[in-house]
Amino acid sequence: MSSKGKILLVDDDPDFIEIHKTILENHGYEILTATNGEEGLKRVRTDMPDLIILDLIMEKHDAGFSFSKEIKKDHLFKNIPILMVTSVAEATGYRFSMKEDGYWMKTDDFIDKPVKPEILIKRVEKLLSKGEENKIE
Amino acid sequence: MNKKQVHILVVDDEFGIREGCKRALSEDGYQVDSANDGSAGLQKINKRSYDLILVDLMMPGINGLKLIKKVQKIDSEIILIVITGYATIESAIEATKSGAYDYLPKPFTPDDLRTVVKRGLEKRNLRLEALQLYKEREQRLLELTNEKSRLQTIIRCMADGVLVINLQGQLVLWNVSAVKMLHLTGTDKSGLSLEHYIKNKSVIKSLKQILDSQDSDCSMMTREIEVDKKGSVLMAKIAPILDKKNRILGTVTVLSDITKLKEIDKIKSQFVSMVAHEIRAPLAAIEGWLEVVLSDESREDNTQNKKWLNRAKERSHALLDLVNDLLTINRMEAGKIAQKMETVKISDIINKIVEFLMPEAQKKNISFKIHIPKDLAVIQADKADMEKLFTNLINNAIKYNKKNGKIIITVKKDESYITTRIEDTGVGISSKNIQHIFDDFFRVEDETTEKISGTGLGLTIAKRIVDSHLGKIEVKSELGKGSVFSIFLPYSPKKKKRM
């Protein structure tokens, strides 16, 4: 494989798809995109990405959650790490944290929008290496 | 009692006794009259009231006993004292039985007379006082009854629910509003336990909780109670009823229905969090683009950087539009801008807007067809509102149109309305989405609209403007073929104030 990994971006904001795509492609990842949950699920089933970067708020306010639940209950896909990005956390004064919400958010990590390129890359690398460990087990 | 105001009557056929009594009592300061037989006595009694009457039992004509009975009928509070010889002591006792207060056996000394009269008058005072007290009590009871019925009327008419519960937890008073709010049953009897009236266990539980936590120091407490699954919420204000020694006798609960307020509050916080998200999203995108440029993801490719900065600018421009729309809505809601009703020519406004938006339309090679009759009547409207309204609608017709599409604007008049139809050949709106298009922040989001930016408030504002001019806005659409917006505006809306 020439790329460092296949990443699916699910976001209804075309700007973020492009921003993240630019950064990640620059760092040698292969990028797939989807603008809503439904399309995202289709992509997961047909292209089997190594990592999913998911926007919390899509067409419906809980679309991000139901998408990740859908993925995590499927044996084939549950090991795909999901990185949740959101612009909702600070704005609503409600902070999500892996400690408190991780168990039901069923995502592997999350960061606030906008994401600094170097942080995005670090998180992605970390999640992908964890994914590798899971596979070996 | 002032002696001068005390009137005494002596009825005796013996002149000596009459004069003797009169002298003795007058000396003491009493007002004394006399009569020499029963009928003369009666005449006097009928003319004025006496406090005390001395009656000789043995008189010709109407004798003393008869006189006593008659006086008793006239005024039972007059003190009657019988004057009698030894021989008639038994009849004196008889007289006492028929209502005489005391008797004075002949012969008697002035002091004997004074003592008996004094005692009699004291008795009379006591009787009068008792009578007065009795009357006052009656009056108070009457007032109390009036007060009670007034209070009941007030409580009955209250829109707030009222419950009075005694120390034993029994419901002793309530009103119709409380019946409605808590769905009370079996209210034909009072004084039973709460469970008898309220079937909903959670309501009983919360009421009891509040009642139990009540202590005499606390003057009032407030709680929210959820009544049913439909989401009715009551605000319960509970206060103890205390006696003079601050002991709790029971509690009064006043219930107000705050379901509507709760709903409004929810809508408001939803709106705020929506606005927050709508503003945060573009800001995050702008920062995202700046971040990509600053961290040199383009590898010093200036053309690429410029492209990205332009994307950031597009988002910041859209954000500015959003803030402007929000301000417009805020002004409309607060009624801060009074409408200035003036004579407006719809045709002028439409032509001006079309000209202004022409460059945008030309980018997609969209052509306009405008049909406006020359003799079109003017309408009374706020010019700035009209410009905003038609800008939003024509702008939508351009934005959601296809390349090489058409926009047909037709203005017609009938008896009471000027009707403007704006027809486009754009993406159309599905029947699922069409019911939401006037909602705050609603935007149709699918493949066909993802490249189109908008605030989601344009149609919200348009509808509010039309509403405030007492008009009507309608939409018909077919997915993939286009939409038609029809705006009906009355020639001169009577209402001057906005909403």
Side-chain angles (χ1 to χ4, degrees):
Chain A
M1 233 211 283
S2 60
S3 83
K4 282 158 78 181
K6 201 155 46 167
I7 299 175
L8 171 64
L9 305 177
V10 188
D11 201 317
D12 63 346
D13 190 320
D15 278 332
F16 278 103
I17 291 220
E18 246 182 276
I19 291 167
H20 294 151
K21 193 176 174 203
T22 307
I23 299 168
L24 292 166
E25 277 178 348
N26 271 350
H27 288 79
Y29 294 97
E30 186 189 339
I31 300 301
L32 308 165
T33 63
T35 53
N36 58 54
E38 209 182 316
E39 196 191 334
L41 282 174
K42 257 188 231 160
R43 280 279 176 172
V44 172
R45 291 189 179 118
T46 53
D47 298 305
M48 190 71 186
D50 302 305
L51 176 87
I52 300 164
I53 295 179
L54 174 69
D55 176 32
L56 177 63
I57 293 204
M58 287 187 291
E59 68 270 48
K60 274 186 246 149
H61 275 201
D62 61 345
F65 294 125
S66 45
F67 174 86
S68 62
K69 267 184 202 156
E70 200 64 28
I71 297 287
K72 289 296 174 184
K73 75 179 183 199
D74 195 318
H75 275 287
L76 260 180
F77 309 120
K78 70 174 180 194
N79 284 331
I80 304 178
I82 297 177
L83 175 58
M84 188 89 96
V85 279
T86 166
S87 60
V88 76
E90 238 172 5
T92 53
Y94 185 84
R95 271 203 162 273
F96 300 108
S97 74
M98 278 315 286
K99 221 165 128 194
E100 280 173 27
D101 302 299
Y103 74 96
W104 67 269
M105 277 171 64
K106 290 188 185 299
T107 47
D108 299 273
D109 197 358
F110 79 100
I111 30 180
D112 280 352
K113 273 182 187 176
V115 191
K116 276 190 188 290
E118 71 259 29
I119 290 173
L120 181 67
I121 295 301
K122 257 188 213 155
R123 297 287 181 100
V124 166
E125 278 170 0
K126 204 174 137 198
L127 282 174
L128 280 176
S129 63
K130 253 207 312 207
E132 286 302 312
E133 280 166 29
N134 283 347
K135 271 178 200 163
I136 292 161
E137 279 167 12
Chain B
M1 198 189 284
N2 186 351
K3 280 184 180 173
K4 280 199 176 155
Q5 285 163 1
V6 175
H7 290 264
I8 295 174
L9 177 66
V10 184
V11 188
D12 201 314
D13 55 347
E14 277 181 55
F15 179 75
I17 299 271
R18 286 204 305 272
E19 284 307 302
C21 288
K22 212 172 169 179
R23 198 176 310 134
L25 295 171
S26 299
E27 274 171 20
D28 280 4
Y30 299 118
Q31 303 292 318
V32 187
D33 288 336
S34 62
N36 58 3
D37 62 21
S39 47
L42 266 181
Q43 275 178 11
K44 297 226 165 190
I45 292 162
N46 280 326
K47 270 187 199 153
R48 63 153 306 130
S49 71
Y50 289 96
D51 298 290
L52 188 138
I53 302 173
L54 292 155
V55 186
D56 183 18
L57 276 187
M58 300 296 281
M59 285 186 296
I62 301 172
N63 70 23
L65 214 57
K66 277 186 191 159
L67 182 65
I68 286 170
K69 282 178 183 162
K70 288 194 177 192
V71 171
Q72 284 275 306
K73 274 185 196 158
I74 296 166
D75 183 351
S76 61
E77 301 305 320
I78 297 177
I79 299 288
L80 291 156
I81 291 167
V82 172
I83 303 169
T84 174
Y86 279 118
T88 55
I89 192 95
E90 276 163 9
S91 27
I93 292 166
E94 175 73 28
T96 317
K97 276 183 190 159
S98 3
Y101 168 67
D102 207 348
Y103 66 91
L104 193 60
K106 287 188 207 168
F108 51 84
T109 64
D111 278 343
D112 291 340
L113 176 68
R114 284 189 188 109
T115 311
V116 171
V117 165
K118 198 179 163 206
R119 206 163 61 216
L121 285 172
E122 276 168 9
K123 176 71 182 173
R124 176 165 161 89
N125 275 348
L126 282 176
R127 273 197 203 168
L128 286 178
E129 260 172 45
L131 196 69
Q132 183 63 29
L133 285 175
Y134 180 74
K135 274 186 190 160
E136 277 172 14
R137 188 168 156 264
E138 288 278 279
Q139 183 61 32
R140 262 188 221 132
L141 281 174
L142 193 70
E143 276 170 15
L144 209 64
T145 319
N146 288 341
E147 184 64 29
K148 213 173 161 185
S149 100
R150 191 161 61 201
L151 206 65
Q152 268 172 356
T153 312
I154 292 170
I155 290 173
R156 240 200 335 265
C157 295
M158 276 169 72
D160 284 353
V162 175
L163 295 177
V164 178
I165 296 163
N166 65 13
L167 265 192
Q168 285 73 45
Q170 295 159 335
L171 186 61
V172 288
L173 183 74
W174 62 85
N175 67 356
V176 184
S177 302
V179 173
K180 272 193 221 149
M181 285 176 184
L182 294 172
H183 312 298
L184 299 184
T185 53
T187 46
D188 48 333
K189 275 187 240 164
S190 79
L192 296 174
S193 67
L194 282 179
E195 285 83 355
H196 173 80
Y197 305 99
I198 306 171
K199 294 287 169 275
N200 186 326
K201 285 193 180 112
S202 68
V203 171
I204 293 184
K205 204 178 145 200
S206 35
L207 270 178
K208 284 201 165 159
Q209 260 177 8
I210 308 174
L211 297 174
D212 289 346
S213 60
Q214 191 69 250
D215 57 81
S216 57
D217 296 337
C218 134
S219 58
M220 180 154 77
M221 58 190 303
T222 312
R223 283 279 177 82
E224 283 176 17
I225 301 179
E226 273 179 43
V227 186
D228 49 32
K229 290 187 182 85
K230 277 180 275 172
S232 302
V233 185
L234 300 179
M235 173 76 87
K237 285 197 196 95
I238 305 202
I241 307 171
L242 302 174
D243 67 4
K244 273 187 182 167
K245 288 175 183 163
N246 270 351
R247 285 175 305 204
I248 299 180
L249 300 174
T251 54
V252 182
T253 309
V254 178
L255 303 159
S256 9
D257 193 339
I258 55 164
T259 315
K260 278 268 148 59
L261 286 176
K262 278 271 174 192
E263 274 168 25
I264 292 168
D265 195 50
K266 204 173 146 198
I267 291 169
K268 199 190 130 213
S269 30
Q270 272 174 355
F271 185 79
V272 169
S273 75
M274 258 163 98
V275 169
H277 177 249
E278 295 293 326
I279 289 176
R280 180 113 208 266
L283 271 177
I286 293 162
E287 198 167 321
W289 284 122
L290 295 178
E291 205 65 71
V292 194
V293 173
L294 289 174
S295 56
D296 197 26
E297 293 290 330
S298 70
R299 312 276 183 266
E300 291 180 3
D301 178 349
N302 266 339
T303 335
Q304 184 61 267
N305 276 346
K306 209 170 175 183
K307 258 190 208 159
W308 289 338
L309 287 174
N310 263 322
R311 294 291 293 267
K313 198 188 156 212
E314 274 168 32
R315 292 300 289 258
S316 76
H317 191 81
L319 189 59
L320 203 62
D321 285 346
L322 173 67
V323 172
N324 284 337
D325 279 357
L326 281 171
L327 287 174
T328 308
I329 284 186
N330 180 261
R331 275 199 301 262
M332 285 175 146
E333 278 179 348
K336 279 174 195 155
I337 36 170
Q339 275 174 324
K340 216 174 91 194
M341 289 299 182
E342 54 190 322
T343 307
V344 175
K345 262 183 150 177
I346 292 288
S347 52
D348 287 356
I349 287 184
I350 288 176
N351 285 328
K352 198 172 122 192
I353 292 165
V354 168
E355 196 187 312
F356 178 73
L357 292 174
M358 196 55 94
E360 281 300 311
Q362 277 164 351
K363 280 185 199 162
K364 289 166 91 173
N365 197 27
I366 291 165
S367 57
F368 281 93
K369 275 192 179 149
I370 301 173
H371 306 285
I372 303 177
K374 275 189 183 144
D375 60 338
L376 189 70
V378 291
I379 64 165
Q380 288 295 313
D382 183 286
K383 202 173 169 193
D385 272 1
M386 288 300 112
E387 281 172 2
K388 183 98 194 148
L389 166 68
F390 288 108
T391 307
N392 285 0
L393 292 171
I394 296 170
N395 202 12
N396 277 354
I398 297 170
K399 276 201 303 192
Y400 295 96
N401 219 324
K402 289 174 186 156
K403 266 198 173 156
N404 307 317
K406 268 187 229 159
I407 295 172
I408 304 159
I409 301 173
T410 321
V411 185
K412 273 195 298 204
K413 62 168 183 178
D414 60 26
E415 274 166 34
S416 44
Y417 289 102
I418 286 195
T419 310
T420 311
R421 267 168 59 101
I422 299 172
E423 192 177 344
D424 66 54
T425 55
V427 293
I429 308 158
S430 70
S431 52
K432 187 185 80 181
N433 286 330
I434 206 159
Q435 51 191 320
H436 296 296
I437 56 165
F438 294 110
D439 293 354
D440 296 346
F441 297 116
F442 179 81
R443 294 200 65 219
V444 176
E445 289 187 353
D446 55 28
E447 314 75 65
T448 58
T449 63
E450 72 182 16
K451 292 256 150 49
I452 303 165
S453 75
T455 61
L457 291 171
L459 287 178
T460 305
I461 292 171
K463 179 155 173 32
R464 289 188 191 201
I465 290 173
V466 174
D467 284 348
S468 74
H469 284 79
L470 305 181
K472 204 166 61 172
I473 182 163
E474 282 176 1
V475 57
K476 280 187 192 132
S477 186
E478 202 178 326
L479 201 58
K481 293 208 168 161
S483 310
V484 185
F485 284 85
S486 307
I487 304 99
F488 305 88
L489 291 167
Y491 291 130
S492 65
K494 296 266 173 337
K495 217 167 95 183
K496 290 272 178 205
K497 264 190 158 178
R498 202 189 285 275
M499 272 176 283

